[in-house]
Structures are given as C-alpha cells and as structure tokens.
Amino acid sequence: MAGERGVVFPDVEGRRSTSATGRAVVADALLPVDPVGSAAAARETNWRSGYLGHFRRLVEAGLPSYADARSIAEAGLASVHGRMRWSPDGHDEQPLSAAVAGAAGAPHPTHGHEVLAGGAEPDTALTIPYQGTRLAGDDLRRRLDAWVAAGVVEPGLREAVTAVLENPEWLRLEGRTVVVLGAAAEMGPLRSLLRWGATVAAVDLPRPDLWARLLDDTRDLAGRLVLPVAAGDGDLAQRAGLDLLHDLPLATSWVGGLEGPLVLGNYVYADGATNVRVSTAVDALTDEVRRLRSDTALSFLATPTDVFAVPAEAVAAATESYAQRRTSKVLRVPLRTLSGGRLLRRNYVPGVDPGINDSVVLQQGPNYLLAKRIQRWRATTARASGATVSFKVAPPTRTRSVVRNRALAAAYSGAHRFGVEVFEPGTANTLMAALLVYDLMARPAAQDHPWQDEAQAAAHGGLWRCAYAPRSALGLAALLGGASAR
C-alpha cells in the first residue's frame, strides 16, 4: 500500500495491515466493558476467517446497559481516529485529525457551490414503487400491513410510513439542506428527496460520467440540487464532485460552508479495505462539522447482513415459523445430519430477549463489517449527545454490487423460499427516504437502549423473523435460486 494518499491504514511493522488494524480496533472497543473479549480479539491469529465472533461480541457486550453500549461505541471511534492516518501526498503521515481540524469553518478558494433549481412541481403525496406500480393511499397501507404480517419489516416501520402518508407536507423537509454523501448510491435518497421538493447537497467522486448521468437523471425533478464545483466555466459534469477519501480537507470545508440546518447523510460504499478508509473519512468529516454546527442531524442506512439484537417478538415469530415449516418436519433432520449441524439451524434459542440475529454474509469480510460498525458507533454516540439521528436497517436489495456477486445473487433469488423478501432498488430507497423524513419531522424519542434504536422500524426483509439462522439456509437458497435461474 506504499504511496497511497488520503485516509490510510497505519503502518504496522512495515506494511499497512487491514487485519491488524481491524483486530486492534475491535479489541480497543471491547476493552472498557469486556476485557476478556478484548483480549480474545487481540489474540485472534486469523482475522480474515475468525473475525465474526468478535463482531458478535461487540453487540453482546453492550446489552447489559446503555452505558456499556455507549462505552463500546466511544472506544471504537476513538481507536479508529487514533489509528487511521492522513497522508496528503502519499509520503508524509499525519494524525487523522490534521485533515479536518478547522476545515469546516474555512472557505476554500478552489471550489464553490452551484445551485440547480428543478422546474417540476413537487410530489404532494407519498408513493412507493412496487412490482411495476406505484403504491399510494390505501394500497400503500395494505402493502405495509402485508409486510408486517409476513415478518418482512418490524411493526414500527408501518407506523412511521403511515405518519408520513398522513402528513405529506413533511416531504419537502422545509428549511433543511440534506447532504447526501455518496449521491449516486442506489440506496440513497437523492431522487426521492428531489422529487418531493427538498434541497439536497450532492457529494460524490469527481467523475464526469457519474455526474453526467446524475444530472440527466435529476434535471426535471422539483427540488434544489446543490453541487460542489471547481472554479471555471467548463461543462458542469466536468467540474462537479469531491473526493472524500483523498481530498478530505476540501470536502469538510465545502460541507461546513453550506447554508441552513444540515442533515448529513452517509450513503458511501467502496470495495474491500477502501470501504473502511472512506467510512473513516466520512466519520472525521462528520465529527468536525458537528463540532462547529451542533444542530446537524445525521442519517445512516445499516446493512441487514450484520449482527443485531432483536426484540422478543421477532424471536417468538421465528420460533413459531420453525415449528410450522414443512421443511422442518421433513428435511431438517437429514439435512442437519448430513451437514454436521450446519444447515437449517434455529434462528434463536426460544424465549431469549433480546435475541441475537447473525445475518452476516462471510464473503463480505471483516473490512465491510468494520466500515458499517463505524457508522453504528457514530449513530450511538451522536444520539447520546442529543443529536437527531436517523439510523435504519435497510432491506436486502438487488443492487448492482449484489448482482455482481454471483453467489449472493443466487442466494437472493432463492431467499423467498425461506420467508425472506429481496427488494428492488427503487422500492428500497424510496421506503428508506420516507423513514428519513419521519425521523427528521416527527423526531421520535430515543429508546431505552441503543439496540432498540437500531431495531426500530427495521426493514430486514424477513431475516430477523425467519425460521432458520440465515447462514444455515443461505447455501440452500443459492442452490434453489441458481436452479430456478437456469
């Protein structure tokens, strides 16, 4: 990794080891409340295959109290910020804080703001695309009821979306600027917010092809689109964009200079170790902007393929499904025997409260989980300090990154056989945008524990309430999905 610039992993014994850093961050996070778990993580000799138990422990160790969960989050973020480095030129290294210190309050001479005002009339009612139509009014209410009945979403989602349906004036998010970091992300809210007439500041890489598509896609929507642009008179797509990873001081300066109350939305994604680097960059930017503008609200989308504590109602639903499924009665015993107990295991021990849902897809790896955990930790600490935070578990979705992974795409194709619904991107991102509107406008009270905040209105697609531990059914789902595709 020599010569990399921007936010980089630290040098550990002559190389930038992602495993050594991830292992150390998890150990540091556990240390305040679980010294035994911390020591176990620090001793892990094969992080790439042995990481999962330690990430699960991060959840379990925080369950006894709100203070424990907050301590883990604070220690984890402190470790990330203390260990990750800033290299402006690929040679010199500085603390991460050097990239953002003071940047949010300083104008930047090379980049400004371009505002594009949409010419369309804003949508004045919430509609959600679903299976070739747009659901509105009573049709949308019936679909919400059906999702809850099928165990695809938690009941709180129905209440939240219904509230937005009944208060359509909320959709414009009047008086706010929503900063969408990762503006071109398939799961991001940019299109929905602009269709509803909101003001959106779009940040993504300075790639002309990306911006040409994005500008063409949003040109006829109703909202105001604010872009970061390099000085000059050339084509807008050629000048738009900011590189959060490599030009973090500039990005922090630009975001910090936006007008009005801000909502800072994190929708960035990258492959492999770069995902940790960009997630760290966004967190550093977020911390600096909130230091100067404490009224800044935060927004995150969580992946359903992670480890979460889930309510007793989800455990009971999964237990009932396990007892009732025909597969349980006919195939479960021989399949479990042949697989050495790996296939079709119970999702939970009956009666646990809360349950621990482990829907991690092992192929995604420890860097993916660490990048997502940084976001969860920031949501916990920001909410504890009084910030408005929208943190929502998004459903399994057929995004481009999923479709590129043949094994995961096959598993998603067969997931319905195990009670899991996989969403199309348009349905998922509109639904998540509606939940963001609810959190910003209704400002629901924080729960008694961070795990309950994470579980509130979760759209897990059924992974939390299905009969089987997801990984124990994933291989069969992939076989069935691959067969049906042929």
Side-chain angles (χ1 to χ4, degrees):
M1 293 187 184
E4 282 186 335
R5 70 175 188 88
V7 176
V8 295
F9 281 88
D11 188 304
V12 179
E13 298 179 353
R15 63 192 183 95
R16 301 197 189 280
S17 171
T18 62
S19 292
T21 302
R23 181 171 57 237
V25 168
V26 171
D28 289 345
L30 285 168
L31 186 59
V33 302
D34 184 5
V36 174
S38 173
R43 289 194 305 267
E44 179 62 61
T45 57
N46 190 347
W47 188 249
R48 291 189 182 278
S49 62
Y51 68 93
L52 181 53
H54 306 292
F55 276 92
R56 182 183 177 110
R57 199 149 182 169
L58 285 170
V59 175
E60 293 173 331
L63 291 180
S65 72
Y66 192 106
D68 286 346
R70 183 176 181 179
S71 293
I72 290 171
E74 290 174 343
L77 290 177
S79 182
V80 169
H81 284 250
R83 292 178 182 278
M84 297 295 282
R85 312 299 290 171
W86 170 248
S87 179
D89 56 7
H91 300 287
D92 295 331
E93 282 191 18
Q94 303 170 14
L96 181 62
S97 59
V100 296
H108 201 280
T110 65
H111 278 67
H113 303 74
E114 184 87 22
V115 180
L116 303 179
E121 288 298 314
D123 284 3
T124 57
L126 174 64
T127 63
I128 293 180
Y130 186 70
Q131 296 185 350
T133 187
R134 290 198 78 91
L135 301 177
D138 288 343
D139 288 336
L140 179 51
R141 290 183 176 89
R142 282 189 286 270
R143 173 42 47 192
L144 294 169
D145 289 341
W147 278 332
V148 171
V152 170
V153 303
E154 291 305 290
L157 182 143
R158 174 175 56 192
E159 279 68 66
V161 175
T162 299
V164 178
L165 193 60
E166 293 173 350
N167 294 275
E169 70 279 4
W170 287 357
L171 293 171
R172 295 193 68 162
L173 295 176
E174 201 73 51
R176 293 173 172 83
T177 296
V178 183
V179 185
V180 179
L181 303 174
E186 279 187 277
M187 289 297 292
L190 182 132
R191 276 189 55 84
S192 291
L193 295 177
L194 290 176
R195 192 171 63 250
W196 298 332
T199 297
V200 179
V203 178
D204 214 313
L205 291 167
R207 285 175 29 198
D209 59 329
L210 179 154
W211 285 100
R213 288 196 304 271
L214 192 149
L215 291 171
D216 185 60
D217 201 32
T218 60
R219 199 177 308 278
D220 296 325
L221 299 177
R224 295 173 70 249
L225 186 62
V226 186
L227 308 178
V229 293
D233 299 319
D235 180 72
L236 192 57
Q238 298 287 332
R239 297 187 293 120
L242 287 171
D243 188 331
L244 291 162
L245 181 60
H246 299 106
D247 298 318
L248 181 55
L250 170 56
T252 305
S253 170
W254 189 85
V255 171
L258 291 165
E259 296 180 355
L262 298 183
V263 181
L264 200 49
N266 184 346
Y267 304 96
V268 299
Y269 171 78
D271 291 329
T274 305
N275 204 19
V276 177
R277 295 170 63 201
V278 73
S279 189
T280 300
V282 169
D283 195 68
L285 180 153
T286 300
D287 199 32
E288 177 64 13
V289 170
R290 285 207 71 246
R291 187 182 67 82
L292 294 176
R293 303 175 64 163
S294 60
D295 63 340
T296 299
L298 303 183
S299 172
F300 305 91
L301 287 186
T303 175
T305 54
D306 201 338
V307 181
F308 289 98
V310 305
E313 294 82 3
V315 174
T319 302
E320 176 68 14
S321 180
Y322 185 86
Q324 295 299 323
R325 288 187 67 87
R326 287 183 300 165
T327 315
S328 300
K329 300 172 181 176
V330 178
L331 296 177
R332 184 176 72 231
V333 173
L335 283 172
R336 291 199 64 192
T337 300
L338 289 171
S339 66
R342 291 189 299 273
L343 290 178
L344 300 186
R345 290 182 288 103
R346 283 183 181 275
N347 212 345
Y348 312 98
V349 174
V352 294
D353 182 16
I356 299 294
N357 181 267
D358 176 0
S359 295
V360 172
V361 176
L362 294 177
Q363 294 91 327
Q364 292 176 310
N367 287 320
Y368 180 78
L369 276 196
L370 180 57
K372 300 306 291 184
R373 201 58 56 101
I374 290 169
Q375 297 171 22
R376 288 173 70 175
W377 288 338
R378 178 57 61 190
T380 294
T381 60
R383 191 183 288 111
S385 69
T388 298
V389 176
S390 179
F391 179 96
K392 289 293 178 284
V393 176
T397 305
R398 292 183 181 86
T399 59
R400 286 186 293 269
S401 62
V402 165
V403 173
R404 286 200 305 265
N405 185 319
R406 294 180 63 182
L408 192 53
Y412 275 16
S413 294
H416 65 282
R417 298 174 184 267
F418 296 94
V420 175
E421 179 171 347
V422 179
F423 283 55
E424 294 302 321
T427 303
N429 61 41
T430 309
L431 189 63
M432 294 298 103
L435 293 177
L436 171 61
V437 168
Y438 173 78
D439 286 339
L440 294 175
M441 300 304 293
R443 299 191 66 175
Q447 301 292 309
D448 293 334
H449 193 287
W451 80 257
Q452 294 168 314
D453 286 311
E454 293 181 342
Q456 185 68 18
H460 46 74
L463 291 168
W464 292 8
R465 292 177 176 247
C466 66
Y468 307 115
R471 268 198 315 284
S472 76
L474 188 65
L476 286 176
L479 288 173
L480 294 169
S484 63
R486 290 194 296 272

